[in-house]
Amino acid sequence: MGSGRLRAIDWAIAVGVAAALLVAGLSEHRPATNLDALGYALLVAGGLALAARRWAPVTVLAVTGLCALGYQAVGFDVPVVAYLFAVYAAVRAGHRIVTVAASVVMVAALPFAVLVSLHDLGEALARGRGALELAWLIAAGAAGEALRQAERRAVEAERTREETARRRADEERLHIARELHDSLTHQISVIKVQAEAAVHVARKRGEQVPEALLAIRDAGREAARELRATLEALRDDDKTPPRGLDHVPDLVHQARTAGLDATLTIEGHRHEVPVAVDRTAYRIVQESLTNIARHAAAATASVRIDYRPGAVVIRVDDDGTAAPDAAPVPGVGLLGMRERVTVLGGHLRAAPRSEGGFTVQAELPVDRTS
């Protein structure tokens, strides 16, 4: 329901309550006083205040209560209907403690307000109970609480349905990706083996190996490596512990073993991070070091992990052949990193450095990820 329609309904209720209170005040048979105009104004004001009950329930609760005390003190014996509506709205909005406290004050103060005009304690107590019976008060609060709980359960049910649907979709995508990985790996392996066998036979016979055959062999090798690197995460299951920031030193050690002068620097105070951030940070370092080894022709690389308040920043630099004025080619690895970071609400920068080489920097928020 749109906000405009809700406002119209709230104003209709407010005007209706104000009119009912005014009619009740006008129908009373009592001596006229100089304060009648004030009493009528308080009756109308208490009803019209309900127009804001959805957006300012506590304020409306206070205004309707004060108006009720005011017109009772002036001498109008009119039930505090507007205050009951305000109790319902405040409890529905979740302000239970404030509503209970205000209602206790209201029940205690009503007889004293009536006493201002009656000057008879017994009659004031009786009229105060009539203006605000405990049964009405409890019923209004119970109705507000019941509707609040019903709305909360509806929201929870909707969120549960969305999460279930999302999980099923993720599981189906994961199943399809694994099947695709298995199929492509098998087919690419067959092509690679056949091409390597043909190259071997040609060289054994002393024949010149066609360039096309060498290209097929090399493409098969590269495709197999890319496929394994890109879809490695899809092989993880409950039997394989997930990789995270604790395993980044292993990646740096493997890079050193492969001949790259790699260093690791950790800054800031280490704090717990969500599992999704932990895995994504590991994958970013893994993919960056893999790209450096394959494409950058770099001698050195540095990995920096910076734990900041509310975020983890991962930066990987190399001194490879990337030129400052060269636009980076968005390969599968970079696209995969960008997708992972974007899903978590973070930012990724992958670009050549001004002094030469390449930089990958990812800022992963840890306060918006569950």
Side-chain angles (χ1 to χ4, degrees):
M1 188 179 295
S3 60
R5 187 175 178 182
L6 287 176
R7 287 184 181 275
I9 292 174
D10 289 342
W11 271 108
I13 293 174
V15 171
V17 173
L21 291 174
L22 182 59
V23 169
L26 291 171
S27 64
E28 280 195 329
H29 300 288
R30 60 180 189 79
T33 67
N34 295 330
L35 297 176
D36 283 359
L38 176 60
Y40 294 134
L42 290 173
L43 287 168
V44 174
L48 293 180
L50 294 175
R53 63 189 171 86
R54 197 182 305 273
W55 292 273
V58 175
T59 302
V60 171
L61 185 72
V63 171
T64 54
L66 291 174
C67 288
L69 293 174
Y71 65 69
Q72 288 288 339
V74 170
F76 285 83
D77 185 14
V78 178
V80 293
V81 177
Y83 181 76
L84 294 176
F85 273 88
V87 166
Y88 161 80
V91 173
R92 180 180 175 182
H95 304 288
R96 289 175 291 185
I97 296 177
V98 173
T99 305
V100 170
S103 298
V104 170
V105 172
M106 190 72 177
V107 171
L110 261 177
F112 294 100
V114 176
L115 191 61
V116 172
S117 60
L118 285 182
H119 307 292
D120 186 312
L121 182 58
E123 189 175 350
L125 290 173
R127 202 167 96 177
R129 287 195 300 269
L132 180 60
E133 292 189 4
L134 287 178
W136 297 350
L137 191 60
I138 294 173
E145 180 64 17
L147 189 56
R148 189 180 77 87
Q149 294 292 339
E151 291 174 342
R152 185 181 63 82
R153 286 193 295 270
V155 171
E156 288 290 337
E158 181 64 24
R159 182 163 57 245
T160 301
R161 284 195 295 269
E162 291 178 356
E163 290 176 352
T164 300
R166 189 182 303 112
R167 184 174 62 252
R168 288 177 177 173
D170 290 341
E171 290 174 353
E172 183 62 23
R173 283 195 297 268
L174 181 61
H175 174 72
I176 293 172
R178 282 177 171 164
E179 291 293 331
L180 182 62
H181 176 259
D182 293 342
S183 176
L184 288 177
T185 300
H186 173 72
Q187 298 299 332
I188 291 174
S189 297
V190 171
I191 295 172
K192 183 167 65 74
V193 168
Q194 294 291 339
E196 289 178 347
V199 171
H200 175 73
V201 170
R203 287 175 174 170
K204 188 175 181 180
R205 292 176 178 175
E207 300 174 356
Q208 183 178 1
V209 181
E211 291 295 331
L213 188 58
L214 293 174
I216 293 173
R217 182 199 62 179
D218 294 340
R221 290 176 178 175
E222 184 64 21
R225 286 196 297 266
E226 289 286 349
L227 192 60
R228 282 195 299 270
T230 305
L231 301 179
E232 181 185 11
L234 300 177
R235 289 297 191 184
D236 294 341
D237 52 29
D238 294 337
K239 299 178 182 178
T240 305
R243 297 283 178 170
L245 288 165
D246 290 336
H247 301 89
V248 169
D250 296 337
L251 293 175
V252 176
H253 177 72
Q254 292 171 9
R256 290 199 199 101
T257 304
L260 182 66
D261 184 11
T263 59
L264 173 62
T265 303
I266 299 178
E267 298 180 345
H269 177 67
R270 173 69 186 269
H271 51 76
E272 293 297 323
V273 299
V275 174
V277 172
D278 198 35
R279 292 182 178 179
T280 299
Y282 175 85
R283 295 298 181 191
I284 288 172
V285 175
Q286 181 187 44
E287 185 64 34
S288 298
L289 292 177
T290 301
N291 287 340
I292 292 172
R294 291 179 185 171
H295 311 299
T300 64
S302 65
V303 178
R304 186 181 301 273
I305 302 175
D306 186 5
Y307 292 95
R308 301 177 182 176
V312 176
V313 178
I314 310 297
R315 177 166 178 158
V316 182
D317 297 321
D318 68 69
D319 63 348
T321 56
D325 55 349
V329 179
V332 175
L334 283 179
L335 290 176
M337 283 192 286
R338 193 173 299 280
E339 288 175 358
R340 287 175 179 269
V341 172
T342 302
V343 165
L344 296 178
H347 304 282
L348 178 74
R349 183 175 67 89
R353 301 193 303 164
S354 58
E355 62 270 32
F358 202 79
T359 292
V360 174
Q361 179 172 312
E363 182 174 347
L364 307 174
V366 297
D367 56 350
R368 291 186 291 172
T369 311
S370 57

